[in-house]
Amino acid sequence: MDHKFSHHPYIPNSDEAIKREMCDFVGISSVEEMHRDVPDELRLHRSLDMPKAIRSEYELYRTVSGMLQKNETCEENINFLGSGCYQHYVPAICDEINSRAEILSAYAGEPYEDHGRFQLLFEYQSLMAELLDMEVVNVPAIDGAQAAATAIRMAERATGRKKAVVCENILPDKLAVIRNYCTPAMEIVVLPFERESGQFDLDSLKKLLGEDVAALYFETPSFLGTVAGNAREAAELCHACGALCIIGTDPAVLGVLEAPVNLGADIVCGDVQPLGMHMNYGGGQGGFIATMDDERLVREYPSRLFGITRTEVEGEYGFGDVYYDRTSFADREHGKEYVGTQAALWGITAGVYLSLMGPQGMQELGETMLYNARYAAKKLSCIGGVSVKYLDQCFVSEFVVDFSKTGKSVGEINDQLLSRHIFGGRDLGGLFPGMEGCALFCVTEVHTKDDIDALAGALCEILGKEGK
């Protein structure tokens, strides 16, 4: 049925008479006048290509459900994609807790509507601090990219310096976020990595470091999966010139890898998505930042911190904000950076996950990923024409597969894998020069030996090769 509306059924105050009244009140001739500062070349100059509005809720439900059913998901396909959003097993209790109304609808706000939320976030921070071997952890920011950018800005404010060195072997999208977030306050200088080893070169780093550098940012494991073999030396070089060392990491691997603080990190950051969050079409992200209890750094956190203290009742404890006046909640436009509700719900979820796993569970998780990834890499490297880069180095869950000698592009290979219900690795050709024909594969604890063997078998069929 072709419904006609005097206003849009989903958008409040869209009736023409109401819009006219609002425009008259603020003294403009049309809504378009509010957008006059937007450059003409950035305007669309046409209506969005959207379907007509549907009045019936049931009809709308049927329409949207039909669209969603077109998606190819990890339920019916074996997934070897990672690249910043990872498929891990999510214990049922994580969803049970974060979907409770008193948590889902009240994860941000003030104590008068708090039903244990402050304590839940305090417990999350405490568990993350134990995992990271650090003392202060924030309520999660938007995602890992924002956490990295915020950590760099924290270093800038703490040191008074305006330059940061960022290693190239991170997700290019994350580098773009860092550039955007730090401009124009800081200059971002990229430290190239060696294509043969996947590592950054210390001699090149020495040339970039100086008394004007606030921080060095690198990741271990890197975006390409390699564990930084020269992290301690890099941190020492930073400290020698008065710069801070910021290390990004995947918290899921810290059951088997050294905590970054023990490598010399002053600030550690990353994404909590691997800790009990579904992939959610790229959502479920939350950025963590961690430091030691150093006031020089703690006062630069823009996001909320929760602490515990005794109350006037003997034996009773309360939970509340720490150093609240430094946040944009308290100081608004004069705050360090703007912070809204952010991803506190995912912090609570990560806390539930970590409380379930414990130290032994995190160790078992890391070991399983380590063994699975090593088995997968060796299995794929036995296929004729296929090689695995950095096979002689340590990697936990992600690794680079080189198809450049097979005569097929990564796109062609992935299309044929998808026809066999397998999501292949991410094409690196458009991300890093010199990585044409390479793909980043991810293996976690959810992959079985049969899954990995199925991938190897499918690649042998696609490439017309035999496994050794």
Side-chain angles (χ1 to χ4, degrees):
M1 183 181 295
D2 186 13
H3 298 297
K4 294 183 179 180
F5 306 106
S6 61
H7 60 279
H8 197 289
Y10 315 149
I11 304 176
N13 298 327
S14 59
D15 181 84
E16 287 300 322
I18 295 176
K19 286 197 293 184
R20 178 70 268 155
E21 183 180 351
M22 290 192 295
C23 287
D24 290 343
F25 182 82
V26 297
I28 58 176
S29 60
S30 69
V31 175
E32 274 298 308
E33 197 174 335
M34 299 180 70
H35 306 144
R36 60 178 176 265
D37 292 334
V38 178
D40 187 68
E41 62 269 20
L42 297 181
R43 298 189 179 213
L44 189 59
H45 295 296
R46 62 173 175 79
S47 298
L48 290 173
D49 184 17
M50 299 287 288
K52 293 182 179 180
I54 301 171
R55 184 187 294 275
S56 163
E57 182 175 335
Y58 177 67
E59 188 180 354
L60 178 62
Y61 172 80
R62 285 280 301 269
T63 300
V64 174
S65 296
M67 294 169 64
L68 291 174
Q69 287 172 6
K70 297 177 183 178
N71 287 320
E72 295 280 351
T73 76
C74 299
E75 293 294 323
E76 64 271 11
N77 297 280
I78 305 173
N79 173 43
F80 292 96
L81 275 170
S83 184
C85 189
Y86 303 101
Q87 185 180 8
H88 291 278
Y89 176 70
V90 176
I93 195 170
C94 291
D95 294 331
E96 175 67 24
I97 296 297
N98 67 27
S99 62
R100 291 179 64 90
E102 68 270 28
I103 295 171
L104 179 63
S105 62
Y107 68 91
E110 297 306 320
Y112 55 75
E113 48 76 49
D114 179 35
H115 297 281
R117 174 179 51 85
F118 281 19
Q119 181 178 356
L120 287 169
L121 289 169
F122 171 80
E123 301 292 358
Y124 152 73
Q125 292 174 171
S126 301
L127 288 160
M128 282 295 291
E130 184 176 350
L131 179 67
L132 297 164
D133 203 13
M134 301 195 88
E135 296 171 342
V136 181
V137 179
N138 69 320
V139 174
I142 293 172
D143 57 20
Q146 195 221 347
T150 293
I152 292 171
R153 290 301 307 274
M154 287 171 62
E156 176 254 327
R157 294 192 293 267
T159 63
R161 301 176 178 184
K162 301 296 182 182
K163 182 184 292 186
V165 177
V166 177
C167 189
E168 182 191 15
N169 60 352
I170 67 173
L171 177 65
D173 290 346
K174 183 179 292 186
L175 178 58
V177 170
I178 290 172
R179 287 188 185 279
N180 182 60
Y181 206 78
C182 294
T183 302
M186 299 185 71
E187 177 187 357
I188 302 299
V189 179
V190 176
L191 171 65
F193 72 94
E194 297 175 338
R195 296 302 191 267
E196 293 303 313
S197 67
Q199 305 280 344
F200 57 85
D201 178 60
L202 290 177
D203 289 333
S204 298
L205 175 61
K206 290 177 185 177
K207 295 176 183 177
L208 296 178
L209 290 175
E211 294 183 356
D212 58 342
V213 174
L216 164 69
Y217 175 81
F218 65 91
E219 296 179 352
T220 183
S222 71
F223 173 69
L224 300 177
T226 55
V227 174
N230 46 14
R232 285 189 176 88
E233 294 86 347
E236 290 171 359
L237 290 173
C238 282
H239 297 152
C241 72
L244 299 179
C245 179
I246 305 172
I247 297 181
T249 193
D250 176 356
V253 306
L254 295 182
V256 290
L257 293 186
E258 185 76 81
V261 67
N262 298 325
L263 303 175
D266 300 291
I267 306 176
V268 179
C269 57
D271 203 302
V272 296
Q273 185 271 326
L275 305 179
M277 268 64 77
H278 299 281
M279 292 185 288
N280 291 348
Y281 305 98
Q285 313 292 125
F288 70 85
I289 304 170
T291 66
M292 301 305 285
D293 191 12
D294 178 351
E295 186 179 1
R296 181 180 66 143
L297 295 177
V298 174
R299 70 188 179 198
E300 301 305 338
Y301 276 91
S303 47
R304 297 175 81 172
L305 306 170
F306 288 105
I308 184 172
T309 187
R310 291 185 175 88
T311 72
E312 60 183 14
V313 178
E314 184 66 29
E316 182 182 78
Y317 293 88
F319 303 86
D321 282 281
V322 175
Y323 216 154
Y324 185 70
D325 57 349
R326 67 188 158 68
T327 68
S328 62
F329 292 96
D331 209 19
R332 304 316 292 170
E333 69 270 19
H334 301 296
K336 306 289 184 182
E337 299 173 34
Y338 176 75
V339 178
T341 58
Q342 308 295 62
L345 182 65
W346 298 134
I348 292 172
T349 305
V352 173
Y353 180 87
L354 289 172
S355 68
L356 286 170
M357 297 292 283
Q360 182 177 344
M362 293 304 293
Q363 180 180 343
E364 291 176 358
L365 171 67
E367 288 175 346
T368 303
M369 291 194 296
L370 188 71
Y371 298 147
N372 284 356
R374 182 61 61 173
Y375 173 77
K378 289 186 175 180
K379 187 80 175 178
L380 299 189
S381 67
C382 292
I383 300 172
V386 176
S387 61
V388 174
K389 286 182 172 289
Y390 322 132
L391 190 58
D392 59 338
Q393 296 191 36
C394 178
F395 53 88
V396 180
S397 62
E398 292 184 280
F399 54 92
V400 177
V401 180
D402 188 348
F403 295 104
S404 59
K405 297 180 180 179
T406 64
K408 289 183 179 291
S409 70
V410 173
E412 291 171 331
I413 292 170
N414 282 344
D415 286 343
Q416 294 187 50
L417 283 174
L418 185 57
S419 70
R420 293 166 170 81
H421 300 288
I422 297 173
F423 292 143
R426 180 166 183 178
D427 191 344
L428 298 176
L431 301 181
F432 300 102
M435 286 285 185
E436 292 76 14
C438 295
L440 184 67
F441 280 73
C442 178
V443 178
T444 70
E445 81 285 1
V446 303
H447 294 92
T448 65
K449 179 178 181 296
D450 288 344
D451 293 336
I452 297 168
D453 290 346
L455 170 65
L459 286 172
C460 285
E461 291 178 5
I462 293 167
L463 301 174
K465 307 287 185 179
E466 293 184 2
K468 298 176 184 177

